[in-house]
């Protein structure tokens, strides 16, 4: 008899709680929410648990201010940290979130030494690197969630443009989760039809730019924080791929050791995601222009990594 997966979510704020909501409503496993705020993880876990009879999902949700209930988690999602305010870039969060993510990673390694970690805190690629270094986990077990969100935004905008089902839109976004991300037009299709046959290149360039600015567009609406519904949904898809060993082909921040000519850096790339975590980094044939854009994006992440004091 198989047991339910145990999924810990650190940070019970907007992204953490929304992730718990998506994860529980897809019955992916039991959820432990952890936060430093007293009462918040306990209250949100109980509130969600009381919704389970309505949606008919058997998930146990627990909230805690310490890590004891997280012991031997199958998956840990790290959403702890500050979110952006208008006028801020993701990089502006680096100093504060490095301290937070480092302390969280230490606890994760202590209580769940064999877990798979999905990092969401920003700046994403750098915080994922911090988590791998501090936990000492193998790189296949530490990844960052950005690519599914960035491609989802791209797919949503293409769907709005064409008025067709988002289910039929496939896309791939590479690179760091920031202004230098690289949406790949060559890997974007609608019902198998290359997107360039359906949307004019000038208009497509505008949609690509809106995708790059997708995060700040939401920050400018909210004024007091950043996106959480779509990030939560994207994390839940990654959790599902691991729990159900689906071997999904999705973009995620993965540790490059020579792939695309990149060394010792986390950057968004297509991966095979299953029970083993990052089971493979897929190497795409890129045009010179795409490769140059990916390297530039990785250089930006590397420059930030170089500033870290771990
Ligand atoms: N341990 C656990 N939780 C912490 C810690 C810590 N050391 N430090 C802060 N937190 C918690 C806060 O108490 C808060 O509840 O992290 C939560 C963050 O929630 P929000 O402020 O709502 O931020 P959110 O929108 O969820 O974004 C979290 O994800 O997408 C990224 O850029 C975003 O870095 C940000 C992170």
């Amino acid at each position: 008899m198989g047991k339910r997966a145990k999924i810990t979510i650190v940070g019970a704020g907007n992204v953490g709680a929304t992730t718990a909501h998506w994860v529980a409503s897809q019955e992916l496993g039991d959820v432990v929410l952890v936060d430093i705020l007293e009462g918040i993880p306990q209250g949100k876990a109980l509130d969600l648990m009381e919704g389970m009879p309505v949606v008919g999902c058997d998930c146990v949700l627990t909230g805690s201010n310490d890590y004891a209930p997280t012991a031997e988690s199958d998956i840990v999602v790290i959403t702890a940290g500050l979110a952006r305010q208008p006028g801020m870039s993701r990089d502006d969060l680096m100093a504060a979130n490095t301290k937070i993510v480092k302390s969280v990673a230490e606890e994760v390694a202590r209580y769940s030494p064999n877990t798979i970690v999905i990092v969401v805190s920003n700046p994403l690629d750098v915080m994922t690197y911090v988590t791998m270094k501090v936990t000492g986990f193998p790189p296949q077990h530490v990844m960052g969630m950005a690519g599914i969100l960035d491609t989802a935004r791209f797919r949503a905008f293409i769907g709005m443009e064409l008025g067709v089902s988002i289910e039929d839109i496939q896309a791939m976004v590479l690179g760091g989760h920031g202004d230098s991300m690289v949406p790949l037009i060559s890997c974007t299709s609608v019902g198998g039809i290359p997107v360039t046959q359906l949307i004019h290149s000038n208009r497509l360039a505008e949609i690509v730019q809106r995708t790059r600015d997708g995060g700040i567009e939401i920050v400018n609406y909210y004024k007091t924080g950043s996106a959480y519904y779509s990030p939560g949904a994207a994390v839940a898809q990654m959790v599902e791929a691991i729990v159900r060993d689906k071997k999904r082909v999705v973009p995620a921040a993965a540790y490059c050791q020579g792939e695309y000519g990149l060394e010792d850096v986390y950057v968004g790339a297509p991966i095979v995601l299953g029970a083993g975590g990052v089971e493979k980094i897929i190497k795409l044939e890129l045009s010179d222009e795409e490769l140059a854009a990916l390297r530039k994006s990785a250089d930006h992440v590397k420059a930030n990594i170089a500033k870290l004091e771990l």
Side-chain angles (χ1 to χ4, degrees):
M1 284 247 285
K3 68 173 181 61
R4 280 188 214 160
K6 181 168 176 179
I7 301 146
T8 285
I9 301 172
V10 186
N14 283 332
V15 177
T18 310
T19 300
H21 185 185
W22 289 108
V23 162
S25 57
Q26 291 174 55
E27 216 173 36
L28 296 178
D30 292 339
V31 176
V32 183
L33 273 172
V34 178
D35 202 290
I36 47 172
L37 297 178
E38 275 178 36
I40 294 298
Q42 294 86 347
K44 290 192 180 179
L46 183 59
D47 195 355
L48 280 163
M49 181 105 190
E50 289 167 358
M52 292 300 108
V54 181
V55 292
C57 292
D58 282 307
C59 298
V60 176
L61 295 111
T62 315
S64 177
N65 300 117
D66 68 72
Y67 287 76
T70 73
E72 303 301 332
S73 292
D74 297 291
I75 300 175
V76 175
V77 180
I78 301 180
T79 77
L82 305 185
R84 282 195 286 176
Q85 311 276 331
M88 289 175 88
S89 80
R90 294 182 179 91
D91 289 351
D92 294 332
L93 303 169
M94 196 161 112
N97 283 357
T98 298
K99 279 201 198 98
I100 293 171
V101 169
K102 197 176 159 200
S103 69
V104 170
E106 283 164 0
E107 298 293 326
V108 169
R110 187 168 307 137
Y111 283 90
S112 299
N114 301 310
T115 196
I116 293 176
V117 188
I118 302 170
V119 181
V120 189
S121 310
N122 273 310
L124 192 271
D125 307 273
V126 186
M127 293 306 110
T128 312
Y129 184 91
V130 168
T131 301
M132 188 193 73
K133 288 289 167 191
V134 173
T135 56
F137 289 175
Q140 312 87 269
H141 285 181
V142 183
M143 68 200 86
M145 187 295 293
I148 295 180
L149 170 62
D150 294 330
T151 45
R153 287 181 170 144
F154 193 33
R155 292 167 63 201
F157 299 149
I158 291 170
M160 290 175 200
E161 179 74 12
L162 296 174
V164 302
S165 169
I166 42 83
E167 280 196 77
D168 293 322
I169 302 169
Q170 294 271 342
M172 179 59 64
V173 175
L174 300 186
H177 184 49
D179 301 336
S180 60
M181 75 177 76
V182 188
L184 285 186
I185 303 296
S186 57
C187 294
T188 306
S189 61
V190 181
I193 304 161
V195 71
T196 47
Q197 294 191 18
L198 300 171
I199 302 178
H200 190 272
S201 61
N202 293 343
R203 180 67 188 134
L204 208 46
E206 288 172 4
I207 295 173
V208 164
Q209 192 54 43
R210 188 175 179 194
T211 303
R212 286 207 183 96
D213 297 335
I216 204 69
E217 186 175 0
I218 302 289
V219 171
N220 287 338
Y221 278 121
Y222 286 164
K223 307 264 186 327
T224 54
S226 50
Y228 48 99
Y229 291 112
S230 53
V235 177
Q237 188 174 74
M238 293 178 79
V239 170
E240 186 200 23
I242 297 167
V243 167
R244 302 202 169 131
D245 192 22
K246 285 182 72 90
K247 310 208 186 287
R248 294 290 308 263
V249 176
V250 289
Y255 186 63
C256 291
Q257 300 172 90
E259 292 86 359
Y260 299 100
L262 307 175
E263 283 283 355
D264 193 34
V265 66
Y266 268 91
V267 79
I271 64 165
V272 176
L273 184 58
V278 180
E279 298 187 353
K280 190 176 175 186
I281 298 179
I282 296 174
K283 285 190 259 172
L284 297 173
E285 296 252 343
L286 299 178
S287 67
D288 290 347
E289 201 184 331
E290 288 165 342
L291 197 58
L294 178 61
R295 294 228 168 106
K296 186 169 162 233
S297 184
D299 283 346
H300 180 83
V301 177
K302 274 204 142 181
N304 278 334
I305 286 175
K307 292 182 204 153
L308 287 172
E309 288 170 25
L310 291 179

